[in-house]
Amino acid sequence: MATARPGQIAPDASDLEIAKVWQQFGIDQTVKLVTANERIAATFGIVERCADRDAKAVRKSRSFLGIF
């Protein structure tokens, strides 16, 4: 079944066909939400690792230069 959107339902579609289109629409939206949430989580992970790396570099440079 090709992914149809609710606005593309044929005027003579049965109730079952209409329900299938709406169900597929909901599934597609859920998949998109899951993907977006995974990307957000990955972004936070990258930022945290970069902040840790930068903090470690600052501590190392301070001990090397004798500052603080």
Side-chain angles (χ1 to χ4, degrees), residues 5-68:
R5 295 290 168 237
Q8 298 171 331
I9 299 172
D12 60 346
S14 70
D15 289 343
L16 180 60
E17 291 170 334
I18 293 169
K20 286 180 180 180
V21 170
W22 277 103
Q23 286 175 344
Q24 188 60 49
F25 174 75
I27 291 167
D28 292 346
Q29 292 302 305
T30 301
V31 169
K32 289 177 183 178
L33 180 60
V34 168
T35 302
N37 288 341
E38 289 171 349
R39 288 179 181 162
I40 291 170
T43 301
F44 278 115
I46 292 167
V47 170
E48 288 172 358
R49 288 190 302 274
C50 288
D52 291 343
R53 181 201 61 202
D54 293 349
K56 183 179 176 182
V58 168
R59 284 192 303 273
K60 185 176 179 180
S61 69
R62 287 181 176 169
S63 67
F64 174 75
L65 295 173
I67 302 172
F68 301 102

